[in-house]
Amino acid sequence: MSDEVHLAHAPTRSIACAEAFRRFMLRPEATSVAAVVILFILFSLLAPQLFPTKITYISIMAIAAELGIVSIGATLLMICGHFDLSVGAVLGLTSYVCVVLMRDYGFDPVSASAVAIAAGAALGAVNGYMVVRFRIHSFVVTLGTMLIWRGVLIALTGGFPMTVEIPASFRATMAGPLISDFRMSMLWFLLIGISGTLLLSRTKLGNWIQARGQNENAARNLGVPVDRVTIIVFMICSALAAIAGIIQVARFGSVDALRGEGFELQAVAVTVIGGTLLSGGYGSAIGTILGAVTFGMIQVGLVLAGAPGHLFKTLTGMIVVGAVILNTSISKRMSKSRPLSGYRRDSSTADAAINAQTAISKNTNG
């Protein structure tokens, strides 16, 4: 039967729904949505009196926000085909810069924060330059700079916490209460997540990031300034780590030698749970937002369920491995599936079929 005969048939609601589901499963957020739903049900059953409560949601978002901001930068970098293991040390070092500028040099919080973010971007530029200049894998480069920045921070602080008086207005803006006791950090997290989504989906830089992650040589042949894009994304990643550090400075009014330690691996875990492939070229900021929420649910849920502390890392590791397996297998299977339950149509025709069925449903309901 020819394609013209197929096109003559009006698509049924089941076919349109099947195609919509198939497309959703092709998105990187699919795994993280499933993780959020499964963990919510699991912890609600394990701690029914404690987990599904407002205070629990506030705690989850407090954890997810600061880690999520760092993870969004890691997501952009992993989509670009690189890793950054230095983000935790960058967070700590830029927090130190912010504290010292306010405490010892009389900077106002806004100016000190701007300098700290610029310092973070500069540290990212160092990482990016070494990667593109010497053609060393980013894993090795950032492993080295992680140790360097952490050593510098320990030397500068002497291993002791440093405190500073934070103006109430700045504390309220960066980490104070927002709505119903949720913190302002949640708002910054969501705004940065939306910005990351728009960057990837609506800008030329976003297209370049994904092209570089999918195939570097092909991207070069198409005229993509691969080296410049790499440095820019490293700068964005480290600048976001600096923003997370500033939020922690506003929240705690201090910095210490271990500030941000462990964030680098947690950010990778959140990014993978959010559906970003380790091979690059595929991922989303929305998935990372859900991945950060998943991470927060694990940490808070295990405490409320009375589980031993070591289970946090164990369960997180299991979810990361499971997410990688699911993302790889689902993307392979769904990419081979035919649109609209076997109808041989191109994407534009499938779009028209789904829109037509949606219009029919609206008219029927109306």
Side-chain angles (χ1 to χ4, degrees):
M1 187 177 290
S2 64
D3 288 344
E4 287 75 17
V5 175
H6 281 301
L7 291 174
H9 293 285
T12 65
R13 178 179 299 181
S14 60
I15 291 177
C17 291
E19 171 62 9
F21 178 75
R22 187 187 74 88
R23 292 187 178 194
F24 171 75
M25 293 303 295
L26 284 171
R27 295 190 59 82
E29 302 91 5
T31 304
S32 54
V33 170
V36 169
V37 173
I38 293 172
L39 288 174
F40 180 83
I41 295 173
L42 175 63
F43 288 126
S44 295
L45 293 175
L46 293 176
Q49 303 299 322
L50 298 175
F51 186 78
T53 61
K54 173 184 169 183
I55 188 64
T56 298
Y57 305 147
I58 293 173
S59 300
I60 290 172
M61 290 309 302
I63 295 171
E66 295 170 6
L67 176 59
I69 291 173
V70 178
S71 300
I72 289 170
T75 298
L76 296 176
L77 198 55
M78 285 179 63
I79 294 173
C80 192
H82 291 289
F83 294 89
D84 190 347
L85 297 180
S86 69
V87 287
V90 169
L91 186 155
L93 192 56
T94 52
S95 297
Y96 170 84
V97 171
C98 187
V99 168
V100 167
L101 290 178
M102 286 190 289
R103 191 191 69 171
D104 298 340
Y105 296 94
F107 277 59
D108 63 272
V110 175
S111 299
S113 299
V115 174
I117 294 172
L123 295 177
V126 171
N127 288 336
Y129 176 78
M130 286 194 291
V131 169
V132 301
R133 174 66 177 82
F134 300 105
R135 303 300 172 188
I136 305 173
H137 197 284
S138 56
F139 185 93
V140 177
V141 170
T142 57
L143 176 62
T145 55
M146 174 188 73
L147 298 174
I148 294 172
W149 307 148
R150 183 63 65 184
V152 170
L153 178 61
I154 293 173
L156 292 174
T157 60
F160 297 98
M162 299 176 61
T163 60
V164 64
E165 185 68 27
I166 303 295
S169 58
F170 184 72
R171 185 189 302 274
T173 301
M174 299 304 297
L178 176 60
I179 300 174
S180 300
D181 295 327
F182 285 92
R183 295 182 179 274
M184 280 294 296
S185 57
M186 182 183 73
L187 176 62
W188 294 116
F189 171 43
L190 295 177
L191 289 176
I192 290 173
I194 293 171
S195 299
T197 300
L198 294 176
L199 171 66
L200 288 172
S201 61
R202 301 294 180 88
T203 68
K204 183 183 294 185
L205 177 61
N207 291 333
W208 286 349
I209 290 172
Q210 296 177 75
R212 192 266 168 241
Q214 291 171 1
N215 191 312
E216 180 180 0
N217 292 329
R220 288 185 187 276
N221 294 335
L222 290 173
V224 175
V226 171
D227 292 346
R228 188 172 68 193
V229 168
T230 299
I231 294 175
I232 290 173
V233 180
F234 267 104
M235 292 175 67
I236 293 174
C237 182
S238 293
L240 290 179
I243 292 175
I246 292 167
I247 291 174
Q248 291 196 352
V249 168
R251 182 180 173 190
F252 300 115
S254 66
V255 65
D256 57 79
L258 299 180
R259 178 64 55 84
E261 189 173 53
F263 263 55
E264 53 280 333
L265 297 181
Q266 293 176 4
V268 172
V270 167
T271 301
V272 171
I273 293 172
T276 300
L277 293 183
L278 295 172
S279 56
Y282 182 82
S284 75
I286 294 176
T288 299
I289 292 175
L290 295 172
V293 172
T294 300
F295 199 89
M297 289 176 66
I298 297 172
Q299 189 164 345
V300 174
L302 288 176
V303 172
L304 295 180
H310 67 272
L311 281 184
F312 169 67
K313 291 186 177 180
T314 302
L315 183 56
T316 302
M318 292 172 61
I319 290 178
V320 170
V321 174
V324 173
I325 295 173
L326 282 176
N327 287 339
T328 303
S329 60
I330 289 176
S331 61
K332 286 182 179 179
R333 292 181 181 181
M334 298 306 295
S335 62
K336 296 178 181 179
S337 63
R338 293 180 178 180
L340 288 176
S341 300
Y343 277 66
R344 295 184 178 180
R345 302 178 177 182
D346 58 15
S347 178
S348 60
T349 309
D351 290 339
I354 293 177
N355 292 334
Q357 180 59 46
T358 302
I360 292 173
S361 300
K362 288 183 179 179
N363 293 333
T364 302
N365 296 332

